[in-house]
């Protein structure tokens, strides 16, 4: 991971787990969008959105920051944001919850709130932390680029931050190894199988993005 092999053409062979982790984020995001737009009326779509906002809360409580943010990302897409008739059917408490998590996962100040939360809850919570990995992969890539530049003095702070990032990821991995199965072993097989079945190829993702935009405009014309 620290070598940044996941960023090159040999990604799938050199860093298969990183690739799967990143792909899973997009699968969940597109599944969320697809589910919402499968509702044929504003009431049905609002019901789905209420469920997803509740799921964001639940996953966040369980420290699955990756999945929580993936669903939130879907709700923040332009096709869903512009469904004003649907959003109006949500209670003020649900909208408030959505806005809270939108602020929490905001990229403002380099994801300051998310970074702080991840560090503070690494050892204090009852559940292993599943991070928003792309955030730290971005850090590693920035460090890699800085170190690759010719005739550039390698800043001590930069090296320190790189060590901190790799150490944090390592601790997250170690924390999860012995705990993930224990915490989720009680889940119903049919639920687990359904979650594992959620998959969208790259072509399907592109098609779904175009489809959702068209459906959104058709449901609620400008």
């Amino acid at each position: 991971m620290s070598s940044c092999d996941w960023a090159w053409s040999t990604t799938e062979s050199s860093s298969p787990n990183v690739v799967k982790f990143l792909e899973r984020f997009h699968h969940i995001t597109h599944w969320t969008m697809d589910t919402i737009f499968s509702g044929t009326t504003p009431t049905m779509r609002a019901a789905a959105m209420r469920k997803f906002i509740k799921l964001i809360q639940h996953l966040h409580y369980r420290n699955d920051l990756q999945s929580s943010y993936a669903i939130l990302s879907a709700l923040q897409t332009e096709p869903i944001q512009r469904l004003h008739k649907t959003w109006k059917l949500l209670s003020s408490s649900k909208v408030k919850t959505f806005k809270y998590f939108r602020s929490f996962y905001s990229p403002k100040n380099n994801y300051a709130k998310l970074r702080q939360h991840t560090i503070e809850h690494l050892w204090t919570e009852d559940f292993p932390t599943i991070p928003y990995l792309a955030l730290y992969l971005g850090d590693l890539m920035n460090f890699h680029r800085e170190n690759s530049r010719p005739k550039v003095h390698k800043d001590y702070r930069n090296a320190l931050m790189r060590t901190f990032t790799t150490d944090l990821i390592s601790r997250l991995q170690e924390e999860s190894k012995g705990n993930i199965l224990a915490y989720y072993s009680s889940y119903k097989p049919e639920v687990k199988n359904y979650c594992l079945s959620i998959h969208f190829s790259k072509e399907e993702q592109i098609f779904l993005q175009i489809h959702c935009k068209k459906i959104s405009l058709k449901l609620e014309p400008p």
Side-chain angles (χ1 to χ4, degrees):
M1 187 180 293
S2 60
S3 66
C4 293
D5 284 344
W6 42 269
W8 317 127
S9 58
T10 58
T11 294
E12 294 188 9
S13 59
S14 61
S15 308
N17 292 329
V18 174
V19 173
K20 289 180 180 179
F21 211 93
L22 297 177
E23 286 181 344
R24 189 62 180 169
F25 183 94
H26 295 299
H27 293 330
I28 294 174
T29 297
H30 286 90
W31 164 69
T32 302
M33 295 177 67
D34 188 43
T35 302
I36 292 173
F37 279 109
S38 67
T40 55
T41 65
T43 300
M44 294 174 66
R45 292 190 292 275
M49 288 168 63
R50 279 192 290 269
K51 287 288 187 180
F52 279 121
I53 291 174
K54 185 176 181 180
L55 188 54
I56 290 172
Q57 277 185 292
H58 178 74
L59 291 168
H60 183 83
Y61 167 72
R62 292 240 171 191
N63 277 350
D64 187 350
L65 307 178
Q66 166 92 351
S67 301
S68 181
Y69 189 25
I71 295 175
L72 180 71
S73 295
L75 296 182
Q76 293 186 98
T77 58
E78 194 270 340
I80 291 180
Q81 280 291 294
R82 64 177 307 281
L83 296 176
H84 303 300
K85 294 179 182 178
T86 302
W87 282 98
K88 286 182 179 179
L89 294 176
L90 298 181
S91 65
S92 59
S93 62
K94 276 289 182 285
V95 174
K96 184 178 180 180
T97 300
F98 166 74
K99 290 182 177 179
Y100 168 80
F101 285 107
R102 184 175 63 183
S103 173
F104 178 88
Y105 287 100
S106 170
K108 185 178 181 181
N109 296 324
N110 197 13
Y111 290 93
K113 292 182 180 180
L114 177 57
R115 288 178 184 276
Q116 188 64 29
H117 175 89
T118 303
I119 295 172
E120 290 179 351
H121 292 74
L122 184 56
W123 299 281
T124 60
E125 291 296 308
D126 296 328
F127 304 102
T129 300
I130 303 176
Y132 174 48
L133 189 62
L135 177 61
Y136 301 104
L137 294 180
D139 290 343
L140 292 174
M141 177 54 72
N142 288 333
F143 299 146
H144 180 80
R145 287 169 179 164
E146 286 295 323
N147 291 334
S148 299
R149 290 178 181 175
K151 298 180 181 180
V152 174
H153 175 68
K154 295 181 179 179
D155 184 70
Y156 173 75
R157 181 178 179 278
N158 184 58
L160 187 64
M161 289 302 296
R162 178 187 175 90
T163 301
F164 172 80
T165 300
T166 53
D167 181 60
L168 175 62
I169 294 174
S170 178
R171 289 175 182 271
L172 287 166
Q173 289 174 328
E174 288 299 322
E175 180 194 42
S176 299
K177 282 181 180 178
N179 294 333
I180 291 290
L181 292 178
Y183 283 119
Y184 298 103
S185 60
S186 61
Y187 275 19
K188 296 180 180 179
E190 59 269 27
V191 175
K192 177 182 176 181
N193 292 334
Y194 174 73
C195 290
L196 292 175
S197 71
I198 297 171
H199 182 275
F200 296 88
S201 66
K202 292 182 179 179
E203 292 76 15
E204 289 174 327
Q205 291 180 41
I206 295 174
F207 171 79
L208 184 60
Q209 289 174 354
I210 298 173
H211 175 71
C212 287
K213 186 173 183 179
K214 289 181 178 180
I215 292 294
S216 179
L217 290 170
K218 182 179 179 181
L219 293 172
E220 295 188 24

